[in-house]
């Protein structure tokens, strides 16, 4: 497909959508009584380390992410307290050692593209130490005698604690000296997924006891729009919080899965002797998706959620007819519509960082959609008439399914902050594409 034609079509669809009235919807859930609970103290999106009772007291504390590109102070995922190397005899050497303190693994372990772990670092005089396991952290803290220490233990044990919503992150002290912590596990992303609220009791020695579990939300349908690899498994348990965090975590999950989809596509194109231009474009698309996964993952974490890592079942190469059918559904329908939605978000998202991210994503996803149509045009003459009929039937079914998915009401914040189209607007966008591309 000629690039200017698809971009022109997107512009026309977006103009048509402006005539559709904006209708917002809202939602909210409280599972248990939160009487007596207090919000968790946070720096950015992680528990604060400003109220830890440690003896002897260190000069400096830092809770950071064991991930080279995102563990810089101030990025929203690091909490610090005190002055680094304040009593060191050799301050530059101490600061250099602190900067190099990046353990290979840590607590609160999550994997997405690169594996992400948290750790605690301290300086005391010339000594720089890191604590990268739950047991090491408990050894440093000693007796758990503050609410923040109890929260940090729950966090280190793999629970997600939300800094803004009490039903997903809260703490209270019990008269007998223990602490109760409200935290979550799980994720709302596809059929069978769920976000579970956990009531925990943290003892003075740092032992955790489950007091109860409550399902806050259940996932349904597909997570987001994009090219999904064949063999993609339903997202497993991961940490999620409020609606914006969950949305961007779902998007990041599928962006990461799309990397594998394009790498597989490139291999299969080579197997079926597609031209080098199509193979190179598929590989370039996989590189684009690495950036998209990183950007949407950062947005997810800014809103308090952690993307689940994609799991894809290894499968043998497919015949050309199966490759073409998959491309017709995932590329010519879902990815094409997803590119148009990205343009809508780039125009309408209230959050500046979301708009900036979607400008780049929309441009790249438009190229990916163009590649899908180029592959469709290349594969068509190489298929039998029966195979072409099956492809078009699958495409029509995909459009019908997509129409049902976008008709589901959205949370108001997804519309205002993330710039997603309302169901009414989404159907207008779909109508334009269907008339021009899928008829």
């Amino acid at each position: 497909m000629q690039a200017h034609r698809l971009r022109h079509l997107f512009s026309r669809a977006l103009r048509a959508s402006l005539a559709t009235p904006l209708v917002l919807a809202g939602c909210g859930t409280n599972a248990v009584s939160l009487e007596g609970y207090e919000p968790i103290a946070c720096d950015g999106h992680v528990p604060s380390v400003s109220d830890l009772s440690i003896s002897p007291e260190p000069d400096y504390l830092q809770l950071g992410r064991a991930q080279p590109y995102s563990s810089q102070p101030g990025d929203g995922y690091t909490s610090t307290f005190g002055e680094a190397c304040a009593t060191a005899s050799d301050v530059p050497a101490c600061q250099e050692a602190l900067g190099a303190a990046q353990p290979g693994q840590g607590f609160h372990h999550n994997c997405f593209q690169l594996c992400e772990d948290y750790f605690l670092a301290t300086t005391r005089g010339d000594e720089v130490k890191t604590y990268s396991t739950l047991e090491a952290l408990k050894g440093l803290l000693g007796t758990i005698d503050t609410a923040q220490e109890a929260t940090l233990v729950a966090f280190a044990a793999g629970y997600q604690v939300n800094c803004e919503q009490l039903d997903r992150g809260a703490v209270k002290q019990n008269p007998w000296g223990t602490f109760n912590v409200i935290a979550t596990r799980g994720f709302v992303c596809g059929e069978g997924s769920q976000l579970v609220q956990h009531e925990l009791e943290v003892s003075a020695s740092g032992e955790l006891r489950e007091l109860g579990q409550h399902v806050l939300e259940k996932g349904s349908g597909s997570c987001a729009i994009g090219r999904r690899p064949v063999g993609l498994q339903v997202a497993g348990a991961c940490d999620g919080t409020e609606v914006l965090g969950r949305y961007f975590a779902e998007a990041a999950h599928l962006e990461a899965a799309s990397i594998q989809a394009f790498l597989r596509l490139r291999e299969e194109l080579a197997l079926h002797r597609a031209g080098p231009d199509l193979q190179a474009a598929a590989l370039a698309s996989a590189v684009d998706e690495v950036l998209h996964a990183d950007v949407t993952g950062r947005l997810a974490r800014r809103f308090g959620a952690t993307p689940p890592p994609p799991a894809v079942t290894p499968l043998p190469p497919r015949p050309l007819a199966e490759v073409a059918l998959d491309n017709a559904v995932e590329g010519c329908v879902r990815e094409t519509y997803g590119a148009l939605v990205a343009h809508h978000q780039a125009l309408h998202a209230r959050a500046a960082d979301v708009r900036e991210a979607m400008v780049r994503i929309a441009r790249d996803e438009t190229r990916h959609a163009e590649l899908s149509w180029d592959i469709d045009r290349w594969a068509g003459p190489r298929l039998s008439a029966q195979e072409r009929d099956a492809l078009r039937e699958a495409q029509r079914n995909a459009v019908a399914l997509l129409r049902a998915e976008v008709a589901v009401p959205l949370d108001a914040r997804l519309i205002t902050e993330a710039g997603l189209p309302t169901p009414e607007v989404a159907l207008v966008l779909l109508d334009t594409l269907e008339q021009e591309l899928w008829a």
Side-chain angles (χ1 to χ4, degrees), residues 272 318-327 379 382-384 387 391:
H272 295 294
R318 298 167 294 176
L320 178 59
E322 292 185 22
V323 175
L325 189 146
D326 183 60
N327 178 74
R382 293 165 172 80
L383 303 177
S384 68
E387 289 169 337
L391 185 151

Side-chain angles (χ1 to χ4, degrees), residues 380-395:
R382 293 165 172 80
L383 303 177
S384 68
Q386 185 177 4
E387 289 169 337
R388 287 195 295 270
D389 289 343
L391 185 151
R392 298 311 165 201
E393 178 64 21
Q395 195 173 70

Side-chain angles (χ1 to χ4, degrees), residues 39-216:
I40 288 169
C42 289
D43 288 335
H45 303 292
V46 296
S48 171
V49 295
S50 61
D51 187 27
L52 306 184
S53 178
I54 300 174
S55 181
E57 184 178 358
D59 299 325
Y60 178 75
L61 285 164
Q62 175 183 314
L63 175 65
R65 294 202 297 178
Q67 196 177 62
Y69 63 81
S70 60
S71 58
Q72 299 301 317
D75 71 349
Y77 309 100
T78 301
S79 176
T80 63
F81 182 73
E83 181 181 350
C85 304
T87 62
S89 61
D90 188 343
V91 173
C94 175
Q95 292 176 337
E96 182 179 356
L98 177 62
Q102 281 283 337
Q105 292 185 334
F107 49 72
H108 194 82
H109 180 73
N110 284 286
C111 279
F112 172 64
Q113 299 296 311
L114 302 173
C115 285
E116 168 192 273
D117 303 74
Y118 284 82
F119 68 99
L120 195 69
T122 64
T123 71
R124 184 185 292 113
D126 291 314
E127 182 184 60
V128 176
K129 296 188 70 174
T130 60
Y131 304 82
S132 56
T133 68
L134 174 60
E135 291 306 313
L137 176 66
K138 288 160 60 176
L140 172 68
L141 297 176
T143 301
I144 306 301
D145 51 13
T146 73
Q148 204 59 24
E149 289 179 348
T151 298
L152 189 58
V153 167
F155 178 79
Y159 293 90
Q160 185 71 17
V161 290
N162 185 274
C163 305
E164 299 175 352
Q165 295 176 272
L166 283 182
D167 64 339
R168 303 174 189 203
V171 63
K172 72 175 181 180
Q173 186 170 11
N174 297 314
W176 48 91
T178 63
F179 293 86
N180 282 10
V181 176
I182 299 293
T184 61
R185 274 182 171 170
F187 198 77
V188 181
C189 182
E191 295 287 351
S193 63
Q194 59 186 17
L195 179 68
V196 180
Q197 178 194 69
H198 293 261
E199 300 172 85
L200 309 170
E201 184 179 36
V202 184
S203 71
S205 62
E207 299 304 314
L208 277 76
R209 182 167 70 96
E210 286 267 4
L211 301 179
Q213 298 182 14
H214 307 272
V215 176
L216 293 178

